[in-house]
Amino acid sequence: MASHYSACIRNLKKYHIPATFMIWGEHAEKYPELLKEEAKCLLFTLGNHTYHHKDLTKLSIKEGKNEIAKNDEVIEKITGQQPEVIRPP
């Protein structure tokens, strides 16, 4: 999976195409090098897509906030950057 995304990232960079990557926390921890590669490029924006990719409408407000906060922490730990946007699953 990561090799397909790396090829996509290379092509986006090659043709100077901006992109927003919605980061799912579990995948960020599984593929940290891919996330670091995305974070290095000024064409790309990182977004929060929750930690577990759960339907936020089925969670309590506290659980939803925890999903977002935990993913913010994971993304920042790996990249040194806070996500700029959020898109619920």
Side-chain angles (χ1 to χ4, degrees):
M1 180 171 113
S3 64
H4 288 58
Y5 285 107
S6 290
C8 178
I9 289 169
R10 278 193 305 278
N11 283 320
L12 291 169
K13 287 178 181 179
K14 179 179 178 180
Y15 296 105
H16 306 283
I17 300 169
T20 300
F21 293 95
M22 303 313 296
I23 309 301
W24 178 357
E26 290 174 315
H27 285 177
E29 291 181 327
K30 188 173 182 180
Y31 304 105
E33 295 306 314
L34 182 60
L35 180 55
K36 287 177 188 176
E37 185 178 350
E38 293 167 353
K40 282 191 264 182
C41 183
L42 295 177
L43 289 169
F44 303 153
T45 300
L46 301 179
N48 185 325
H49 200 46
T50 73
Y51 183 81
H52 293 102
H53 202 260
K54 291 184 177 180
D55 182 346
L56 296 181
T57 65
K58 296 189 169 57
L59 301 177
S60 70
I61 291 173
K62 181 179 180 181
E63 291 170 320
K65 286 181 177 182
N66 286 341
E67 280 289 310
I68 294 165
K70 182 173 183 178
N71 199 29
D72 277 348
E73 290 172 12
V74 168
I75 293 168
E76 185 169 17
K77 180 180 176 186
I78 293 170
T79 68
Q81 300 175 25
Q82 280 282 319
E84 295 182 38
V85 294
I86 180 170
R87 185 179 78 76

